[in-house]
Amino acid sequence: MADRQKKLWGGRFHQQTDLLVEGFTSSLDFDRRLYKYDIEGSIAHARMLAKQKIIKKVEERAIIAGLKAIEAEIEEGKFVFSPGDEDIHMAIEKALTERIGEAGRKLHTARSRNDQISLDMRLYTRAEIDRIIELVRKLKAALLGRAKKELGVVMPGYTHLQKAQPVLLSHWLLAFWEMFDRDEQRLEDAYKRVNVMPLGAAALAGTGLPIDRWYVAGLLHFPRLAENSMDAVSDRDFVAEFLFVLSVLMMHLSRFCEDLIIFSTDEFGYVEIADSFTTGSSIMPQKKNPDVAELIRAKTGRVYGDLLSLLTILKGLPMTYNRDLQEDKEPLFDAVDTVASSLVVFTAMLEKISFKTERMASGAASGFSTATDIAEYLVRKGVPFRESHGIVGRIVAFCIKEKKSFTDLTLEDFLKFYNGFDDGVFQVLTVEQSVQARTQIGGTAEEAVRRRIKEIEGR
Ligand code: ARG
């Protein structure tokens, strides 16, 4: 038989696999990314088999040396993957047997590719969660540093994208810090459900051979074992959960990008993205476009797609393993690559952004952004809030008609709307006073923001 027909599972087959089928079913093009984890898992499995006297010590040594040599070759790009090898497990096992002979054929004892792939995916996901957490931490540190540096700068806060109330620039920055902090917590939490050792489930029903699952778990630093062999080989919740957490993280990045895109327009003019993080137009010489931010916004949709792909793949699967599960990999890899590169470029872009603080301050002062402060001033004088809301609303209408702002009004003007006004109103209607008054936990007063920064730094 020609080489490509020698399948490791070929015993019961009379016909060779059609080339079309070989190409269609192979996952080698993408799952070769898992080689390190596949080898790490196989080494732990071989150690356990030897400890349990299921294979001999010399066989264990041959297997481990063979696997390490294969790993080095793959790393150096010297390993030849043959298209007939269905997946990374087959490619490595076949190469091992070619090198060390009989002992290589014992590695798969008490194991199936079904529990093997679950292990590989868990090892890979663990490492990637760690990497993404590191990137999120860097972004959070950049945000915190910037919030400290910009303390005192006032900007307009928006609801419905209409100017609402003045806030500190640092408060706006730290709002994103809180989002990414939750993302970090979600990543840590998802990690717990990834960190479960599936080997021993074999195809679906476990094995009759005297394996030691805890020993394997110890070697691979898993604190828990999968408790049900059927669940162990069919479960991809941990991938779906990771993709969900990544989707939320991208959504946060995307919303941040949206603010930066809007704020960098001539109309807002609050933000200047560095030249090195923008691109020009091929026809309009004056243009400077926020393409990085736009692409991150778009890639968010792509990561949602990865999550939706996986959930859709999973929804109709009968117990237990089905080949459908092979399609979990590309969405996972794509999401990880997309999120990691987005975090790296976004953090670098943020570090070079400049804020046009004068423009922000004047933006904060216009648009009657202290109307609520005047209403609250009346509340302190005993006016029910609904009534004070109406009074200030009429003052706003008057100002719009007369083309005035609150600071243009005299006490006589105020008295026309309510006879309880006094000079105290002039103590509440400026932007600075409005911000300073909000000292509650979670408020935007400099005092409150400083407190939060201290808390964060003290953690
Ligand atoms: N390449 C397969 C996957 O990714 C490995 C498991 C194959 N198992 C099987 N029974 N065909 O899911």
Side-chain angles (χ1 to χ4, degrees):
M1 269 211 249
D3 176 57
R4 80 164 190 87
Q5 296 144 12
K6 274 191 233 146
K7 296 279 181 243
L8 293 177
W9 40 251
R12 61 100 75 204
F13 288 82
H14 298 300
Q15 294 175 349
Q16 48 186 274
T17 313
D18 195 293
L19 269 178
L20 274 174
V21 174
E22 215 163 76
F24 190 74
T25 55
S26 172
S27 53
L28 197 52
D29 278 347
F30 48 86
D31 69 10
R32 62 176 71 176
R33 185 193 281 230
L34 298 171
Y35 77 91
K36 254 193 343 195
Y37 307 106
D38 198 69
I39 288 171
E40 190 187 351
S42 287
I43 289 176
H45 183 64
R47 290 220 155 103
M48 182 278 292
L49 291 176
K51 182 186 86 79
Q52 298 299 97
K53 307 205 171 6
I54 299 170
I55 63 172
K56 295 191 196 88
K57 266 272 159 206
V58 284
E59 291 166 337
E60 174 199 4
R61 278 196 291 273
I63 288 172
I64 293 173
L67 287 172
K68 286 192 169 154
I70 292 169
E71 181 173 23
E73 272 182 38
I74 298 178
E75 234 137 67
E76 289 158 22
K78 288 187 195 142
F79 188 85
V80 186
F81 288 99
S82 88
D85 297 334
E86 254 176 71
D87 52 32
I88 187 66
H89 324 300
M90 290 303 204
I92 291 173
E93 195 186 321
K94 204 182 86 196
L96 181 69
T97 305
E98 279 164 12
R99 281 150 211 239
I100 68 168
E102 201 51 25
R105 292 153 57 85
K106 293 198 175 176
L107 171 61
H108 212 51
T109 312
R111 189 176 70 169
S112 153
R113 277 183 294 158
N114 298 354
D115 56 351
Q116 186 179 359
I117 186 59
S118 167
L119 176 71
D120 292 7
M121 290 289 278
R122 287 174 184 276
L123 290 170
Y124 168 83
T125 304
R126 259 190 351 191
E128 293 297 4
I129 289 180
D130 280 341
R131 182 162 73 105
I132 303 281
I133 285 178
E134 248 346 279
L135 295 174
V136 171
R137 287 192 181 144
K138 281 191 184 135
L139 172 55
K140 283 169 62 194
L143 276 168
L144 186 66
R146 205 58 196 264
K148 284 170 75 175
K149 190 167 153 228
E150 308 289 353
L151 254 179
V153 176
V154 179
M155 71 182 282
Y158 295 82
T159 62
H160 314 267
L161 199 52
Q162 305 289 321
K163 221 168 258 178
Q165 291 178 321
V167 292
L168 287 189
L169 169 55
S170 303
H171 199 51
W172 173 77
L173 288 167
L174 288 179
F176 290 106
W177 187 96
E178 301 288 348
M179 293 180 183
F180 295 121
D181 185 54
R182 289 195 296 274
D183 292 326
E184 185 184 338
Q185 290 171 35
R186 266 186 287 270
L187 286 163
E188 305 266 10
D189 200 61
Y191 192 96
K192 294 180 208 154
R193 281 167 294 281
V194 180
N195 209 7
V196 176
M197 211 290 292
L199 278 196
L204 78 161
T207 172
L209 292 166
I211 58 169
D212 182 347
R213 299 188 65 206
W214 274 118
Y215 184 72
V216 178
L219 291 176
L220 298 170
H221 312 291
F222 282 101
R224 288 174 53 203
L225 300 181
E227 296 289 350
N228 180 303
S229 62
M230 295 176 81
D231 179 44
V233 294
S234 64
D235 171 25
R236 291 295 181 276
D237 295 6
F238 65 98
V239 183
E241 191 177 352
F242 183 35
L243 289 178
F244 168 74
V245 173
L246 291 180
S247 295
V248 176
L249 169 51
M250 280 305 281
M251 178 267 285
H252 291 154
L253 275 180
S254 181
R255 291 183 69 171
F256 205 160
C257 286
E258 178 59 18
D259 268 15
L260 294 178
I261 291 164
I262 295 173
F263 287 173
S264 64
T265 57
D266 186 48
E267 287 75 3
F268 280 79
Y270 300 154
V271 157
E272 176 90 38
I273 303 176
D275 282 4
S276 52
F277 281 82
T278 52
T279 54
S281 156
S282 53
I283 176 166
M284 298 169 284
Q286 84 284 9
K287 290 279 278 180
K288 177 172 155 179
N289 296 326
D291 295 30
V292 169
E294 291 171 302
L295 283 171
I296 292 174
R297 190 173 58 184
K299 285 174 193 289
T300 303
R302 178 172 166 157
V303 174
Y304 291 1
D306 293 327
L307 170 64
L308 257 290
S309 295
L310 181 67
L311 288 174
T312 311
I313 288 163
L314 294 176
K315 75 180 267 290
L317 295 187
M319 279 288 216
T320 53
Y321 179 85
N322 302 269
R323 192 64 177 270
D324 310 52
L325 290 175
Q326 178 166 294
E327 292 283 313
D328 62 351
K329 284 163 208 62
E330 284 164 296
L332 173 62
F333 298 161
D334 182 68
V336 164
D337 292 345
T338 305
V339 172
S341 62
S342 298
L343 280 167
V344 168
V345 72
F346 185 88
T347 304
M349 178 171 74
L350 184 71
E351 270 156 3
K352 292 198 171 143
I353 257 174
S354 48
F355 296 108
K356 299 186 189 162
T357 54
E358 273 171 34
R359 173 100 184 154
M360 283 183 160
S362 70
S366 68
F368 308 104
S369 62
T370 57
T372 314
D373 298 85
I374 303 176
E376 286 177 357
Y377 152 89
L378 292 175
V379 165
R380 272 183 240 115
K381 296 207 159 306
V383 183
F385 183 73
R386 276 294 154 233
E387 198 181 324
S388 66
H389 186 285
I391 294 166
V392 181
R394 287 188 286 280
I395 299 175
V396 169
F398 168 79
C399 286
I400 291 171
K401 195 165 132 261
E402 300 292 317
K403 297 194 171 29
K404 287 182 175 195
S405 68
F406 290 146
T407 45
D408 299 324
L409 301 182
T410 62
L411 185 57
E412 286 75 65
D413 292 327
F414 280 112
L415 286 166
K416 277 183 229 147
F417 295 91
Y418 174 71
N419 61 15
F421 271 111
D422 59 23
D423 277 341
V425 70
F426 299 109
Q427 306 303 310
V428 302
L429 49 70
T430 69
V431 163
E432 289 69 27
Q433 288 150 345
S434 166
V435 170
Q436 263 172 43
R438 289 165 162 71
T439 56
Q440 300 286 352
I441 293 173
T444 191
E446 190 171 325
E447 177 191 325
V449 174
R450 268 186 204 285
R451 235 175 18 230
R452 182 64 182 144
I453 290 173
K454 260 216 171 118
E455 273 167 22
I456 291 171
E457 289 182 328
R459 296 209 307 195

